[in-house]
């Protein structure tokens, strides 16, 4: 016999009042399919699944009518809802992180007697994460020639290349006809003079007809997309070849691969729970994955870049150009930096990471997907 949850139990589990659950029933949004012997509403597994979707969309701020349209759509199954919800929640988290960063910045400015302009105060509400943190980006983010060579090699003989999530264009090949796509106005504004033309758009909905380019590339951006799989499929649609630099968070033991996440910032792993597996990402473009080793003196200051130069993470400029630090929030950041500083001073970091000194390049889970 299928288990049913009585309405009181559902209310207790969800924190939603019985009255609200009755209302959802009356308007046909979530109709419990059974009654208890005493005549109370009782929810079967499928009712609970639908209620879970309704409550998640509600928490995201959707109105009941919009939610009814979403959950009644026969083309969207439970997995598609979970993927969509996940993307929307990530976007909300990034916006909250951007707002916290902007507020911290304004508090800092006020403490020094500087008042932000009315425009600056309002700008943040329309901003993407990179509209807030993007101005710190060029300080340490630049082309790493050895990794660029691997990317450009994977582009093969492509003459026209679309660079999705292009940022300031660090990995755009100089010898091909490049078109860039970048949703953040701050990042677009920082593209160097003479850089490839840049279109304001997002990966999930590329404004180009099918097969418009010989190749599409994406470097260190897919983890920011609301819906990575949809974005990768879009790349596949508009280009005959696809090259993506991304991260493998599905291999066993990936949480322990990099000492910074393992010993100081366990919150990093939480940013990637539910991140599609490497197999799913690769499948979305119909390709294969190859490892990308990070040289010990990597010129591009991304999260893993300083694996053999731990002091770099104590530098505020280095951290501000790495979105992970903003996404985990100021408390986790301060705790991690303090612990790392202490371990560098005491020699504990060196004791724990002796084997790294002999390495010129490290395998830290970065991957090039090629299709
Ligand atoms: C870490 S930066 C990488 C920029 C550039 N590819 C590079 O390697 O220097 C990530 C970029 O992804 C962009 N981005 C965020 N969401 C996006 C989306 N849905 N579609 C395309 N790009 C996105 C951000 O605005 C940001 O410029």
């Amino acid at each position: 016999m299928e288990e049913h949850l009585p309405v009181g139990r559902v209310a207790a589990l969800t924190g939603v009042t019985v009255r609200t659950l009755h209302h959802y029933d009356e308007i046909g949004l979530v109709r419990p399919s059974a009654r208890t012997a005493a005549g109370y509403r009782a929810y079967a597994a499928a009712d609970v699944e639908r209620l879970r979707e309704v409550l998640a969309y509600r928490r995201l701020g959707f109105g009941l009518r919009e939610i009814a349209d979403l959950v009644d759509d026969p083309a969207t199954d439970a997995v598609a809802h979970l993927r969509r919800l996940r993307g929307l929640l990530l976007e909300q988290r990034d916006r909250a992180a951007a707002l916290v960063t902007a507020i911290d910045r304004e508090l800092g400015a006020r403490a020094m007697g500087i008042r932000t302009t009315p425009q600056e105060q309002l700008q943040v509400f329309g901003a993407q994460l990179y509209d807030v943190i993007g101005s710190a980006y060029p300080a340490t983010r630049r082309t790493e020639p050895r990794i660029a060579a691997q990317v450009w090699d994977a582009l093969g003989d492509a003459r026209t290349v679309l660079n999705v999530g292009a940022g300031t264009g660090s990995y755009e090949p100089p010898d091909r006809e490049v078109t860039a796509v970048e949703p953040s106005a701050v990042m677009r504004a920082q593209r160097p003079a003479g850089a490839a033309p840049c279109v304001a758009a997002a990966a999930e909905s590329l404004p180009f007809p099918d097969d418009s380019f010989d190749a599409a590339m994406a470097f260190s951006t897919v983890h920011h997309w609301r819906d990575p799989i949809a974005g990768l499929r879009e790349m596949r649609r508009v280009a005959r070849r696809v090259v993506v630099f991304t991260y493998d968070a599905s291999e066993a033991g990936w949480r322990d691969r990099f000492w910074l996440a393992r010993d100081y910032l366990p919150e990093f792993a939480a940013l990637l729970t539910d991140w599609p597996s490497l197999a799913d990402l690769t499948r979305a473009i119909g390709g294969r994955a190859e490892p990308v080793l990070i040289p010990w003196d990597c010129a591009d200051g991304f999260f893993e870049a300083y694996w053999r130069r731990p002091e770099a993470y104590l530098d505020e400029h280095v951290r501000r150009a790495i979105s992970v630090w903003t996404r985990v929030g100021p408390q986790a950041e301060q705790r991690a930096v303090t612990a790392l500083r202490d371990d560098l001073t005491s020699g504990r970091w060196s004791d724990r990471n002796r084997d790294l000194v002999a390495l010129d390049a490290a395998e830290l889970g970065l991957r090039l997907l090629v299709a």
Side-chain angles (χ1 to χ4, degrees):
M1 262 268 290
E2 187 183 356
E3 193 197 350
H4 287 80
L5 291 177
V7 65
R9 178 89 182 109
V10 171
L13 284 169
T14 55
V16 171
T17 62
V18 169
R19 203 163 150 219
T20 301
L21 294 171
H22 285 182
H23 180 59
Y24 289 173
D25 183 3
E26 279 147 22
I27 63 172
L29 192 55
V30 187
R31 290 227 153 98
S33 49
R35 295 268 163 177
T36 64
Y40 293 115
R41 290 165 170 84
Y43 293 75
D47 308 331
V48 167
E49 191 167 283
R50 184 173 165 103
L51 178 64
R52 195 254 327 266
E53 284 159 11
V54 167
L55 295 179
Y57 283 120
R58 197 82 185 108
R59 191 161 288 187
L60 279 158
F62 284 85
L64 293 181
R65 262 211 203 121
E66 281 174 297
I67 296 175
D69 289 344
L70 286 167
V71 296
D72 283 337
D73 177 8
T76 312
D77 64 10
V79 171
H81 276 299
L82 286 173
R83 284 201 189 286
R84 180 189 288 155
L85 283 163
R86 180 179 180 278
L88 291 166
L89 286 162
L90 285 180
E91 203 171 68
Q92 199 177 63
R93 184 193 63 194
D94 283 356
R95 282 186 189 276
L99 200 50
V100 170
T101 302
I103 287 172
D104 285 349
R105 196 177 287 171
E106 183 167 346
L107 284 171
R110 280 182 185 242
M112 291 190 290
I114 303 166
R115 292 301 292 263
T116 45
T117 65
Q119 285 87 337
E120 283 167 340
Q121 286 173 28
L122 293 180
Q123 231 161 8
V124 66
F125 292 102
Q128 311 224 358
L129 180 63
Y130 271 86
D131 286 338
V132 176
I133 67 170
S135 57
Y137 199 82
T140 58
R141 302 300 294 267
R142 55 186 73 93
T143 319
E144 161 46 56
R146 289 153 287 191
I147 299 179
Q150 200 173 337
V151 172
W152 297 345
D153 189 44
L155 289 172
D157 59 4
R159 196 181 50 77
T160 56
V161 176
L162 180 71
N163 185 19
V164 182
T168 52
S170 297
Y171 291 85
E172 282 162 18
D175 56 347
R176 336 248 176 144
E177 192 186 311
V178 176
T179 304
V181 159
E182 171 53 54
S184 157
V186 169
M187 294 303 269
R188 289 198 302 276
Q190 294 183 112
R191 290 175 62 78
C198 188
V199 178
E204 294 85 349
S205 176
L206 293 172
F208 307 103
D210 297 359
D211 292 329
S212 302
F213 302 92
D214 294 336
M217 58 176 279
F219 194 95
S220 199
T221 170
V222 180
H223 54 292
H224 290 293
W225 299 356
R226 187 173 49 73
D227 186 341
I229 299 293
L232 292 173
R233 288 198 183 125
E234 274 291 88
M235 290 178 71
R236 175 80 280 183
R237 181 183 66 75
V238 303
R240 281 177 284 279
R241 179 175 271 264
V242 179
V243 177
V244 176
F245 176 77
T246 187
Y247 185 75
D248 178 6
S250 49
E251 192 185 71
W254 69 271
R255 286 180 175 76
D256 295 333
R257 220 162 21 199
F258 182 27
W259 58 262
L260 180 57
R262 183 192 63 212
D263 300 334
Y264 301 96
L265 201 61
E267 290 84 354
F268 173 72
L271 297 180
L272 289 164
T273 35
D274 302 336
W275 171 244
S277 68
L278 193 71
D280 283 347
L281 294 169
T282 313
R283 201 172 305 121
I285 55 169
R288 62 187 160 79
E290 54 186 64
V292 179
L293 300 185
I294 310 302
W296 76 272
D297 54 350
C298 182
D300 188 355
F302 50 74
F303 184 60
E304 295 83 358
Y306 306 94
W307 59 270
R308 223 185 89 179
R309 295 167 289 167
E311 289 80 7
Y313 296 108
L314 304 181
D315 182 340
E316 172 84 18
H317 290 106
V318 164
R319 295 200 306 279
R320 291 286 65 83
I322 301 172
S323 64
V324 168
W325 294 104
T326 302
R327 293 174 113 182
V328 296
Q331 266 180 337
E333 176 176 2
Q334 272 325 307
R335 192 211 58 239
V337 170
T338 305
L340 176 59
R341 184 180 292 114
D342 290 351
D343 284 359
L344 287 170
T345 309
S346 69
R348 192 155 180 250
W349 184 90
S350 307
D351 289 345
R352 268 192 188 156
N353 297 287
R354 256 175 224 301
D355 47 335
L356 296 187
V357 185
L359 295 181
D360 287 338
E363 202 310 60
L364 294 174
L366 291 149
R367 298 283 178 270
L368 202 61
L369 314 185
V370 185

